[in-house]
Amino acid sequence: MAQVLAVPGDVRHGFSYIGQFNHDFGRITGIAATIKGNILLCDYVKKNLILVDHLGIVLRKLDVDSEPYDLAITSQNIGYITQPNSRTILQIDPDRMMILFKVTCNELSTTVFCVSAVPNTGRNLSGNVSCFLGVKIHGFSYGVPVNHDQICITDVPKNDRKIGSCVVRFHTVNEHSCLSCIGGQNYITFNETWGYPIKTCNIATMDTPTDICSDDYGHIYVSGQGSNNIHRLTDAMEKMRKIFYREQDYKVLDIPLDSHHGIKEPVALCFNQDYSKLYIVNEWGKSVLIFDVI
């Protein structure tokens, strides 16, 4: 596979292919990095969590009681796993693979489907919101904050943190805004204040976005499952927004990875904690690609 270099003069990363791994996965749907540099995976079909090292060697497996769909690991190294089919959330110590807490929603019309960690909230548990849970009520999605490490998914509409409808994944840019992938569509949405208006970000070269993450420069990466590529976006209006308080407008910088680099039906992606590696769940959840960040 070809090495992908950063464009001269621009503050952005390049990528160098390291390898891939496949441990007879059923279907990997979620991926996140731990503080120790390990990678945690959700195998939806086999109902287990898999902890691998930075090169994909299996360290531990943990069977769970339902299909794990999405996960996030906070700056405090606490993991949150969503199990939408059983309407449950697991809180775990990811490097020790120990379940710390489990929450079940008893409302049949409500489920927790995805989760996103808020970046840069510090190592110590504090009053900061460490992550947001994506909760669906009658098909509409809300971002529910995890504060002081407490999980509460009751009275969700009163929190008024609306994400939108038909959301399959979302990524918190900060405590007040998020980007979302919409099921069956070829665009992502931006929500600046956890409410309306929800702005549409059309990407002509992308088909079926499935996951979103960000690097240490603040660039946004979006996986295109149908287009077999990874897009890199930048907030072109950030400087103007700081001056005039205008809305953000995410623009495509480039397509750093595509089918020529082995990208095929990507499902999810993440950087490790020090942003030295990029991991991409590939082939509709059957393998994981590893790239060095250069």
Side-chain angles (χ1 to χ4, degrees), residues 28-31 42 69-71 82 113-116 163 166-171 179-183 189 209-212 223 267-269:
I28 301 300
T29 54
I31 186 170
C42 289
Y69 171 65
D70 194 18
L71 77 152
T82 64
F113 65 103
C114 58
V115 57
S116 179
I163 302 176
C166 300
V167 174
V168 294
R169 286 281 170 78
F170 74 105
H171 170 72
L179 290 155
S180 304
C181 299
I182 310 301
T189 60
T210 53
D211 199 14
I212 304 171
S223 57
V267 172
L269 70 170

Side-chain angles (χ1 to χ4, degrees), residues 13 15 211-213 215 219-222 230-232 269 271:
H13 292 303
F15 301 98
D211 199 14
I212 304 171
C213 71
D215 65 15
H219 296 141
I220 302 296
Y221 294 75
V222 187
I230 307 296
H231 284 63
R232 177 161 38 197
L269 70 170
F271 287 91

Side-chain angles (χ1 to χ4, degrees), residues 19-261:
Q20 65 176 317
F21 59 92
N22 176 2
H23 300 295
D24 192 29
F25 299 133
R27 179 160 63 97
I28 301 300
T29 54
I31 186 170
T34 78
I35 291 293
K36 292 186 176 181
N38 298 320
I39 301 298
L40 187 62
L41 305 166
C42 289
D43 193 325
Y44 185 87
V45 171
K46 294 193 173 182
K47 297 182 183 179
N48 61 21
L49 306 175
I50 307 165
L51 185 72
V52 302
D53 70 6
H54 66 288
L55 293 178
I57 297 172
V58 174
L59 301 175
R60 295 183 183 88
K61 289 187 179 182
L62 177 65
D63 293 330
V64 291
D65 59 357
S66 185
E67 296 84 353
Y69 171 65
D70 194 18
L71 77 152
I73 297 175
T74 67
S75 297
Q76 299 79 37
N77 207 39
I78 299 296
Y80 292 88
I81 317 294
T82 64
Q83 299 182 140
N85 290 343
S86 60
R87 304 189 304 281
T88 55
I89 311 150
L90 301 178
Q91 182 191 68
I92 71 167
D93 179 329
D95 286 306
R96 293 194 296 165
M97 294 286 270
M98 177 183 295
I99 296 176
L100 304 175
F101 190 54
K102 178 180 177 180
V103 176
T104 301
C105 179
N106 294 321
E107 295 291 334
L108 296 180
S109 61
T110 301
T111 191
V112 181
F113 65 103
C114 58
V115 57
S116 179
V118 179
N120 305 319
T121 53
R123 283 289 288 120
N124 296 323
L125 297 174
S126 65
N128 295 327
V129 173
S130 60
C131 70
F132 283 88
L133 302 168
V135 179
K136 283 192 179 182
I137 301 177
H138 299 290
F140 203 87
S141 306
Y142 298 84
V144 176
V146 174
N147 204 343
H148 294 284
D149 234 25
Q150 296 177 351
I151 305 172
C152 180
I153 53 176
T154 59
D155 299 324
V156 171
K158 295 179 181 178
N159 293 330
D160 201 30
R161 290 179 172 89
K162 298 176 181 177
I163 302 176
S165 58
C166 300
V167 174
V168 294
R169 286 281 170 78
F170 74 105
H171 170 72
T172 52
V173 179
N174 51 50
E175 190 176 333
H176 307 289
S177 60
C178 71
L179 290 155
S180 304
C181 299
I182 310 301
Q185 303 301 315
N186 294 338
Y187 59 82
I188 61 174
T189 60
F190 174 63
N191 190 328
E192 188 169 10
T193 55
W194 295 107
Y196 290 104
I198 298 174
K199 189 171 183 180
T200 299
C201 303
N202 292 296
I203 305 175
T205 50
M206 174 167 288
D207 182 1
T208 319
T210 53
D211 199 14
I212 304 171
C213 71
S214 57
D215 65 15
D216 49 340
Y217 293 145
H219 296 141
I220 302 296
Y221 294 75
V222 187
S223 57
Q225 189 171 85
S227 48
N228 299 318
N229 53 22
I230 307 296
H231 284 63
R232 177 161 38 197
L233 282 64
T234 187
D235 178 7
M237 292 296 291
E238 179 62 21
K239 292 181 180 179
M240 294 296 289
R241 181 176 177 270
K242 288 179 179 178
I243 299 173
F244 299 108
Y245 302 99
R246 296 183 180 179
E247 289 185 356
Q248 297 190 31
D249 187 11
Y250 286 89
K251 302 294 184 183
V252 175
L253 268 174
D254 57 3
I255 303 175
L257 297 166
D258 58 25
S259 58
H260 296 94
H261 311 109

